[in-house]
Amino acid sequence: PIRKKKRGFKLKKDAKDWAVRETLKLTRQTQRKATKTPTFKEVTDEWLIEYKKTVKESTLRKTLGYLEHYLLPAFGDLPLDKLTHHESSATLDTWQTQNSKFGEIARLGKRIYRYAMQRDYVDANPWELVAIPSKHVINRQVEKSDYWTADELRAFLAEAGVYAAHADPWKLNPTGWISSQAYAFFWLLAYTGMRKGEALALHKDSYSKANQSISITRTVSYDVNYRPLVQTPKT
């Protein structure tokens, strides 16, 4: 039998509480050793059953993408208790060079391990000790900006406006857009701050001529099979 001792308790009750917790912990460890530790993929499949009930289709699609392209290729076949925080940290370093959403991917891994701890599959979460760099800090280290300046934006819209004015308003251009629609779409994004999906979901009732305002109540997104769907926006 395994025996553990600890001194320094101020009250007898504290000592008894510690003994109960340690006994329960040792019992769980013994039971766990007698069974095969599940892999990361096995626990992820179990976690997904409940997760699917709590999120929109578009959020589920994004989560499944993170799992398919990043987490499962890296850790899918690995037993949960074999992953160390050093390996997690090294993998995160690789993800930083591949996807700007590396923080979301790491937090998803942390979330699945928390679920595993709740189900008593493991005692520790290797992701808890991993420092996830701030995306803002990473962006400050990038010299080249991916954003247009105000002058560049005005030049683009001016050119798009000229093109829309001289093109056949009802003829599809090579991109599949009607020229006037394309100009209106980019103008809305630039001067309202709308998301792309919100602009695409607008309809005639979204605009109030009396108030000179646009109401954003819907957004276009995609389900897990990448079919377009209309749903409520984030905020």
Side-chain angles (χ1 to χ4, degrees), residues 22 47-48 63 74 76 124-125 174 207:
E22 287 300 312
W47 170 79
L48 277 172
T63 298
N125 186 342
Y207 174 63

Side-chain angles (χ1 to χ4, degrees), residues 57 61 221-229:
E57 280 273 321
R61 177 180 58 82
S221 188
Y222 299 89
D223 64 14
V224 293
N225 296 312
Y226 289 89
R227 293 174 299 199
L229 54 87

Side-chain angles (χ1 to χ4, degrees), residues 92-163:
L92 176 59
D93 289 342
T94 300
W95 290 342
Q96 286 186 46
T97 66
Q98 299 173 342
N99 194 315
S100 62
K101 302 292 186 180
F102 59 88
E104 291 186 25
I105 301 171
R107 282 185 282 273
L108 176 58
K110 182 186 293 186
R111 181 173 181 175
I112 293 173
Y113 259 88
R114 284 176 179 167
Y115 171 86
M117 291 180 67
Q118 292 171 355
R119 293 299 184 274
D120 198 33
Y121 294 138
V122 287
D123 289 324
N125 186 342
W127 288 101
E128 292 294 348
L129 298 176
V130 176
I132 302 175
S134 169
K135 184 178 178 181
H136 299 293
V137 173
I138 297 297
N139 286 342
R140 283 201 295 268
Q141 298 172 357
V142 179
E143 295 181 1
K144 185 178 182 302
S145 173
D146 290 332
Y147 300 96
W148 282 348
T149 65
D151 288 340
E152 288 172 331
L153 174 62
R154 282 191 287 266
F156 168 78
L157 290 177
E159 190 69 23
V162 171
Y163 178 74

Side-chain angles (χ1 to χ4, degrees), residues 36-45 67 70-83 87 113:
K36 182 181 177 182
T37 303
T39 64
F40 182 82
K41 184 181 186 308
E42 290 171 338
V43 173
T44 297
D45 290 341
L67 289 170
Y70 297 97
L71 285 159
L72 291 179
F75 311 119
D77 296 330
L78 192 68
L80 286 176
D81 58 351
K82 299 302 181 182
L83 180 62
E87 186 175 356
Y113 259 88

